[in-house]
Amino acid sequence: LILSNFLSNFRSEKRLTVPPRFQKELQVHLSRSSSTESSDSLNTSTTETHTIALGSSVADVNELQSRIKELLSKYSSGVRVSKMPQIYREMYWEDLSTEVLYQLENWPHVCTVEKIHRGDQMDGLLYPAKKIPPVAKSDTEQEKASQNVTSSKTDPLLKPHMETTPALLSSELKEKVISILLKYSSGLWAHALPKVYQDTYQAKFPEDILNNLELLSDVCIVDYVCEVPRKAILYAKPQRCIDENLNVTEKVKRHDGVKATAEQQYEESKDQFIENITVPSLIIPSEGSVSIMVLDLKNTNEVLIRQVYYSSAQEQMEDEMKAYYSQNSTVSPSHSLSVGQLVAVHAEEDAWLRARIISLDDNRVYYVDHGFTEFVESNSVCRLQKQFGFLPFQAAKCKLAGLEAFCDDPVLVKAVESQTCFKIFAVEILEKSDIPLLVLYDTSGEDDININATCLKALYDKSLELHLQVDAQYTNVRVTSVFSDGSLYCQVPSKGLSRLSEILHKLEDYFLYKQTSEFNVLLPFCGKICLFPSKGKWARVEIKIIHTRRALDVKFMDIGTVATVKVSELKEIPPQFLREVIAIPPQALKCCLADLPPNTGMWTPDAVLWLRDAVTNCPEFSMKVIKQDTSKGIAHIYLFAPENFPDMDCSINRQIKNADLWKHQKDVFLSVTPSGTSSTKAISDAVSALQLSSGKLEKSFPDSAREPGSVVSTIDMPPPLPLPKPGDLMDVYVSVACHPGHFIVQPWNELNNLYALMEEMILYYSRAEEKPVNIEKNKLYAAKIGDKWYRVIIKGILRNGFLSVYELDYGKHELVSIRKVQPLLDMFRRLPFQAITAQLAGVKSQLWSEEASIVFRNLVEKKPFVAQIQAVNDSTNSWDRRIVAFLVDTSLPHIDTWIHDFVSQSLVEFSKSD
């Protein structure tokens, strides 16, 4: 039944659209070594622990050995010992002690070491434990190897995904490759081999070999630097190994026509089973979005998942298994099964699945791609063929961020299970490890739902939750925040509020005797709950948006205010207080004033300002609940000053309704008089109402930056960005690409300065009170676009409350509300504007089609290049300057790609001539 339910979900799964914030480079392994491997490593490493490092535990050694096994599985043709520290650091982000290198010879269950001499230096080659380095073979063994190879009916070079044998290549070809590699003692890039071969021997190199470099593994070391087969470095092997392997190759060829004997047929069939190869590790794609399906969980630190990325490959493999085993029912070796062996199991719904044997006593297996255990009949188990061992095991473990301290809590585990099992989620990976730390997001609706944060609410103490009752009356109510749409947050006296006050006092006392730096937040993520110092007291906040490594947005859980703060200002909740702090539900209740005129529409600045003044001048209110809108989580209320309660005619609702505050002035945000004065002062007054003085954050900027006089700029324009001369080279980053005739580049060596400026603008403008703005065309301002602040110039003033602006550092044209525009201070005018308009050199100017523009954009946008300047068209305004340049992609070693060549050959056909 478990399997039946899973398969129905598996076959009907769908890919989801993942938000841009997840589209970043992710290089992390989602697989662990099997339990049997871990057990073997633990048993064999116990006596060696003291030789690695004083204080190392058996678990540390076990983990280290497991990692080395995993690393070597990617370098099956061998890797140099001297390169191990570098490869280990790139893979696990940790340093590999040199002491470990000396211990490798003592770990035959982990790796095989072959010492080699390179001049006066001693080095070595490492192989996986089950792969023996090339040695001289007996004639009998060579005959068997020959017959195993020659019995193949297909050309392995035509099918690189099938297993091939180095003996299939001619000795002459291999000798030529050896001769080349001996000249490159530091190694040769695999993709450069065809050109060197052509130049040396005036003959074409069979490039199909580059797709299966294992064909050269008997004469050279193949050092893979990433998952792309051609991105590998080739090194010549020691001459002794080369001679032996070439002799084997010749013997193989001499036996091409020999008929296989019964013993040889047995050897051949045995070689087809999974015991003779290493199943690759499961790796998250390095580019694009990542989605996973949750299969099962024991606790929130052991959540079993499967990547959606591999779904079609897994489905295809299982279909092929079904076809194969349905036609080959004689491959069942029930007499030779062993614990830990990989097998194929005939499961429910006539499916064939990969599994590992857990117990022979009760015929229990673990499905390595589906993540659960089942009892099976012995006659439903077959040996797993090699062709079904190339896809990584799909079931992997992860842990959920923010839930670690409560990972075994049955209430939390039940909530996570009900929210996640057999559902697909977008993934944000916070920590790269064998069991990665994840945040899950449900992106199936209009809004992304943070699953970790949602499940954490299951730990709320239900007795501390406050549920407002319709027609109920409340006194001593405190209004904590007022927003531009007229909504407000209130605190109502309750058991939860009293409990919160108690725990915050405990925290204040605790931190008096502690260095708060011990509790700095080192790994911020959305949904994380932290502490923030506000006006000498601690407040609970939840991280909402991470702008940069220094700046993020938080929501004050018990006030309702959202503010931008520095990461360094946040503190972790001490472990002994964590459950108490998490258990208290948010104490700020969202409300709105009831029975306002239905045609009120958007609140005017005057109405927001009036309400702000009313609640600021009265520390406490009384209120009556009229109705509850549970879908929006908002209560409709009548609000009273204490002396007016419960006289409805004297309520805040009636007073604001009767005041002349609801008439919108036509084009109020756009009127700019000829003298330069603006009629937009009401905007700043209204916006200042968005955050009450009682909840306002202290600014971390100098007082001079906050005074009204600082709005008046003394620096008109930043210094112009120095442009290179024709013929010069310049490292650039393409921020925007429309078509080959128009794209935007930024100087690569200035990007760090730009990022620092953006951080400071986010921190300043998100905290500063907004100022009156005189809107004028062709003047500089700061504008909030999305979650960030940009330096812009006003290009047009529209009649609907919006402005047309040009981003001076990124080269984009945007429409923004006038409410999101502020004066650009002098402190943000010192860095030259970074956007440089460019045109691709070497391409005839023409009208580019939509198809060609899209291809060009995908080719160059958001990527670094070397620009060779052909011409510079200068201008008084820096944003009007233009360069004509060649773009060169130098990301591949030894090969430079000139973009204009690709455009001329491939894109011109899509476009029309002028």
Side-chain angles (χ1 to χ4, degrees), residues 217-419:
S217 62
D218 56 344
V219 294
C220 69
I221 302 168
V222 184
D223 190 355
Y224 294 99
V225 298
C226 72
E227 296 303 313
V228 180
R230 292 172 179 242
K231 283 199 174 182
I233 303 175
L234 306 179
Y235 302 91
K237 275 192 175 181
Q239 192 62 42
R240 175 181 60 82
C241 296
I242 293 172
D243 294 341
E244 291 167 350
N245 289 324
L246 290 180
N247 289 335
V248 171
T249 301
E250 291 303 316
K251 283 215 170 190
V252 167
K253 289 191 172 184
R254 287 200 299 269
H255 287 78
D256 277 349
V258 179
K259 185 178 180 179
T261 61
E263 180 184 5
Q264 292 161 350
Q265 289 176 343
Y266 168 75
E267 291 294 334
E268 180 182 88
S269 63
K270 184 176 73 172
D271 191 53
Q272 297 303 311
F273 296 128
I274 197 70
E275 291 89 337
N276 296 309
I277 72 168
T278 303
V279 178
S281 300
L282 184 65
I283 303 176
I284 285 185
S286 60
E287 295 182 358
S289 58
V290 181
S291 297
I292 59 96
M293 173 183 278
V294 175
L295 306 176
D296 194 11
L297 71 153
K298 294 180 179 178
N299 55 57
T300 63
N301 282 349
E302 295 183 78
V303 179
L304 205 61
I305 62 172
R306 177 174 59 76
Q307 274 195 76
V308 175
Y309 175 78
Y310 288 96
S311 293
S312 59
Q314 181 183 346
E315 187 170 342
Q316 180 181 350
M317 180 195 68
E318 291 178 354
D319 288 342
E320 291 173 355
M321 288 178 65
K322 179 178 179 180
Y324 176 85
Y325 287 104
S326 298
Q327 298 173 8
N328 296 272
S329 57
T330 61
V331 293
S332 174
S334 57
H335 60 280
S336 59
L337 297 179
S338 60
V339 173
Q341 182 178 342
L342 291 173
V343 294
V345 176
H346 192 190
E348 296 179 17
E349 296 188 355
D350 201 27
W352 282 88
L353 306 178
R354 298 190 299 181
R356 188 183 297 279
I357 296 175
I358 295 177
S359 171
L360 293 175
D361 295 334
D362 52 10
N363 294 331
R364 191 154 43 97
V365 299
Y366 172 76
Y367 292 104
V368 294
D369 298 310
H370 300 282
F372 63 91
T373 301
E374 193 169 63
F375 300 98
V376 297
E377 297 292 334
S378 58
N379 59 7
S380 67
V381 177
C382 293
R383 298 187 72 176
L384 189 66
Q385 300 292 302
K386 268 193 175 182
Q387 63 264 38
F388 304 126
F390 295 105
L391 185 70
F393 298 148
Q394 299 297 289
K397 288 181 181 178
C398 73
K399 50 187 176 182
L400 302 185
L403 310 183
E404 301 95 321
F406 317 107
C407 64
D408 292 312
D409 187 291
V411 175
L412 179 63
V413 172
K414 183 177 180 181
V416 174
E417 187 176 27
S418 64
Q419 289 274 349

Side-chain angles (χ1 to χ4, degrees), residues 25-52:
E25 279 200 7
L26 303 169
Q27 293 285 353
V28 62
H29 294 276
L30 285 180
S31 62
R32 281 182 93 182
S33 299
S34 67
S35 58
T36 55
E37 289 175 337
S38 299
S39 176
D40 291 343
S41 299
L42 181 61
N43 292 337
T44 55
S45 64
T46 304
T47 60
E48 301 158 359
T49 304
H50 68 280
T51 65
I52 296 176

Side-chain angles (χ1 to χ4, degrees), residues 3 31 56 83 162 204 285 292 440 468 501 529 535 610 651 701 709 724 754 802 808 834-835 845-846 865 901:
L3 179 60
S31 62
S56 295
K83 292 203 67 177
M162 299 295 289
K204 184 175 177 60
I292 59 96
L440 306 183
L468 298 180
S501 179
I529 296 177
K535 291 202 166 186
W610 188 96
S651 65
F701 293 91
L754 177 59
F802 283 83
L808 293 160
Q834 299 296 297
S845 178
Q846 55 189 287
F865 294 92
D901 287 341

Side-chain angles (χ1 to χ4, degrees), residues 142-156:
Q142 290 170 359
E143 276 188 353
K144 292 177 181 178
S146 169
Q147 290 154 357
N148 284 342
V149 172
T150 56
S151 64
S152 175
K153 296 182 180 179
T154 58
D155 183 355

Side-chain angles (χ1 to χ4, degrees), residues 122-159:
M122 176 71 74
D123 202 345
L125 298 177
L126 286 185
Y127 302 88
K130 294 182 181 179
K131 182 178 178 71
I132 306 301
V135 294
K137 297 182 180 179
S138 66
D139 289 346
T140 304
E141 289 172 325
Q142 290 170 359
E143 276 188 353
K144 292 177 181 178
S146 169
Q147 290 154 357
N148 284 342
V149 172
T150 56
S151 64
S152 175
K153 296 182 180 179
T154 58
D155 183 355
L157 289 179
L158 299 179
K159 293 180 179 285

